[in-house]
Amino acid sequence: MKQLKLASVLLGLSIFGSAVYADVTLQSTAEMEGTWKLQTSKNKLTDKDSVTREDTWVLKEGKVTILHIPREGKYYDQPPVSYEIEDGKLKVALVGNNRFDLFTVVEKDEKNMTLKGRYGGYYFFEKK
């Protein structure tokens, strides 16, 4: 009887003790519109060290322009590319070819947003 109770308790803890993490499912491009300053990025959500970022993403009318991208001591702006919502995720075209980046919105409110890249990188934004 004690083993049955112990097994029940352990099963309950494993079910209810796990962190539930639900991604934000986007419905339209309008949900993403605005100017978002990329603050930091991490390879994994659990990484202690983050990389300070300087670029700003401007999402407007189905286009995204990334501004103030540092490169070799200078800054440049990327030309606008299309973005859309596909299966609840943010799909951003890459400059100069038919490929795209796919991002999952991990969390989003009026002032902050966290995106997860297709290969696991996390991007932490603040709305300007």
Side-chain angles (χ1 to χ4, degrees), residues 34-39 56-57 110-111 126-128:
T35 301
W36 295 91
K37 170 76 172 91
L38 181 53
Q39 299 292 325
T56 299
W57 294 25
E110 280 88 44
K111 295 184 179 196
E126 184 176 288
K127 194 156 192 180
K128 289 178 96 177

Side-chain angles (χ1 to χ4, degrees), residues 37-90:
K37 170 76 172 91
L38 181 53
Q39 299 292 325
T40 60
S41 63
K42 294 181 177 184
N43 289 331
K44 296 179 185 172
L45 197 55
T46 56
D47 283 352
K48 291 181 182 175
D49 296 325
S50 60
V51 176
T52 301
R53 302 292 295 262
E54 300 180 46
D55 37 325
T56 299
W57 294 25
V58 181
L59 293 101
K60 185 176 179 182
E61 298 173 358
K63 298 281 185 185
V64 60
T65 305
I66 302 177
L67 307 172
H68 200 68
I69 303 167
R71 175 75 45 120
E72 300 174 0
K74 298 180 181 180
Y75 295 92
Y76 74 97
D77 297 340
Q78 175 183 297
V81 294
S82 298
Y83 77 93
E84 60 187 60
I85 304 305
E86 184 175 282
D87 297 327
K89 298 182 181 191
L90 177 64

Side-chain angles (χ1 to χ4, degrees), residues 25-41:
T25 302
L26 299 171
Q27 303 298 320
S28 71
T29 58
E31 294 176 73
M32 296 300 297
E33 289 202 357
T35 301
W36 295 91
K37 170 76 172 91
L38 181 53
Q39 299 292 325
T40 60
S41 63

